[in-house]
Amino acid sequence: MTGSDAAGDEVGDDADSAGDGTTLDRAGDGAADLADHLRYLLVLSRPRFWLYLAGPVAVGVTYGIDGVGGLFTPTTVALAGYFLVPANVFLYGVNDLFDADVDEHNPKKDDREARWRGNRLALAAVVVSAVLGAGTFAITPRVAWPFLAGFLVLAAGYSAPPLRFKTTPFADSVSNGLYILPGAAAYATVAGAVPPTAALAGAWLWTMGMHTFSAIPDIEPDREAGIRTTATLLGESRTYAYCLVCWAAAALSFTAVDARIGALLGVYPVFVAWVSVSAVPVDRAYWWFPALNTAVGTLLAMGGLWRVYPVWEVLG
């Protein structure tokens, strides 16, 4: 035992013998504060949307490998791990940091999401997540670097000045191609080549529709805060039409890669058309998106896996 340990024991003994519980209370408060901070970071990272970044990695890997041996490697696991949690802390942490004033008017922040607290732990977590993102360059080939760089730049530029794409109509929509860049990087890492152009175009169009649809519940809060977006510019009805066009174009682009993928992506224009004419509130339909995207992404990933390990071999 060192001198400092012994001194600590003596202080603890004195506090216990005095019966005031001061030392124990402070330790308990510290543990409670840490747990509260960690819960806050968990909410900030949007767990419902974790697969929006990690899912494309799984899809990219399954379509880029030439055998099941390439499915789980240190590199693919590291990429999936980064884009599952740290990348979301970075993306949404930057978003909440620069939207702190705007979010005061956003009802989504009352229960399902968190308002920026501005504490050092949250800021440190965002910085560390960015550093980890830079570290992905060290484990991937050069062909993947443009996609990784694009993700980091767009993830920050979407919310942070001077770019702040989210406040410029149509730039906010186009910049959300950042969500498919992890998948493109994963594909390039395992295949050693860039993904097919039609697949990149289709995926980018899909993210444009996804982002703009998710902005519909924010139309009124954004207008109150003076924020201009594609959705505030178009209004609700025309935003539905915009999403429909984006998702129909995405399905057509993927059809050029594989007709089955195009047919699968066809669920999105059907979905937005149904929401636009149904009695279901859009802010409720918005929260169905994670389940829909997970189902579609799982089918996409399974299709890529069966390409190298046919389903009849699994069943047989």
Side-chain angles (χ1 to χ4, degrees):
M1 179 180 292
T2 64
S4 59
D5 290 335
D9 287 345
E10 290 172 5
V11 171
D13 291 340
D14 289 343
D16 289 341
S17 62
D20 59 12
T22 302
T23 302
L24 295 177
D25 287 346
R26 288 176 180 170
D29 289 344
D33 287 344
L34 179 59
D36 180 60
H37 286 317
L38 292 176
R39 280 194 297 270
Y40 164 68
L41 287 176
L42 179 66
V43 176
L44 175 145
S45 70
R46 318 286 204 274
R48 289 182 180 85
F49 304 144
W50 280 359
L51 290 180
Y52 282 12
L53 293 178
V57 173
V59 173
V61 169
T62 57
Y63 282 92
I65 58 177
D66 56 9
V68 291
L71 192 59
F72 296 105
T73 69
T75 300
T76 60
V77 170
L79 285 175
Y82 173 70
F83 285 107
L84 182 64
V85 181
N88 282 290
V89 172
F90 173 61
L91 174 62
Y92 295 116
V94 172
N95 179 85
D96 289 357
L97 170 62
F98 290 99
D99 274 8
D101 294 338
V102 176
D103 286 342
E104 290 299 321
H105 307 280
N106 193 334
K108 285 195 304 188
K109 300 294 180 177
D110 291 334
D111 50 6
R112 296 178 184 266
E113 297 180 6
R115 288 183 172 88
W116 180 255
R117 291 186 179 180
N119 59 52
R120 287 187 218 172
L121 180 62
L123 187 59
V126 173
V127 172
V128 169
S129 297
V131 172
L132 290 173
T136 59
F137 288 83
I139 63 172
T140 53
R142 289 179 180 271
V143 69
W145 291 0
F147 303 115
L148 294 171
F151 169 78
L152 293 173
V153 170
L154 290 176
Y158 177 73
S159 301
L163 297 176
R164 198 158 165 75
F165 295 122
K166 71 180 300 175
T167 61
T168 304
F170 299 109
D172 60 339
S173 176
V174 174
S175 64
N176 263 254
L178 68 91
Y179 281 96
I180 60 96
L181 293 177
Y187 178 98
T189 295
V190 298
V194 299
T197 302
L200 285 174
W204 205 288
L205 286 162
W206 172 77
T207 64
M208 290 169 58
M210 182 185 74
H211 165 267
T212 310
F213 182 85
S214 70
I216 296 175
D218 295 333
I219 288 177
E220 292 309 318
D222 283 346
R223 283 175 173 169
E224 290 177 14
I227 298 295
R228 298 182 70 243
T229 67
T230 302
T232 62
L233 176 67
L234 297 177
E236 185 170 334
S237 61
R238 286 188 292 180
T239 300
Y240 283 130
Y242 176 85
C243 295
L244 179 64
V245 170
C246 286
W247 280 331
L252 287 174
S253 293
F254 272 112
T255 298
V257 179
D258 190 310
R260 293 166 295 183
I261 300 178
L264 179 61
L265 268 290
V267 69
Y268 289 97
V270 172
F271 173 78
V272 72
W274 172 73
V275 172
S276 69
V277 299
S278 73
V280 176
V282 66
D283 55 351
R284 181 182 178 191
Y286 166 76
W287 292 106
W288 296 343
F289 245 49
L292 175 62
N293 290 338
T294 299
V296 172
T298 299
L299 289 173
L300 276 174
M302 293 303 295
L305 184 59
W306 288 337
R307 181 181 54 85
V308 293
Y309 194 58
V311 63
W312 51 87
E313 292 187 18
V314 177
L315 298 176

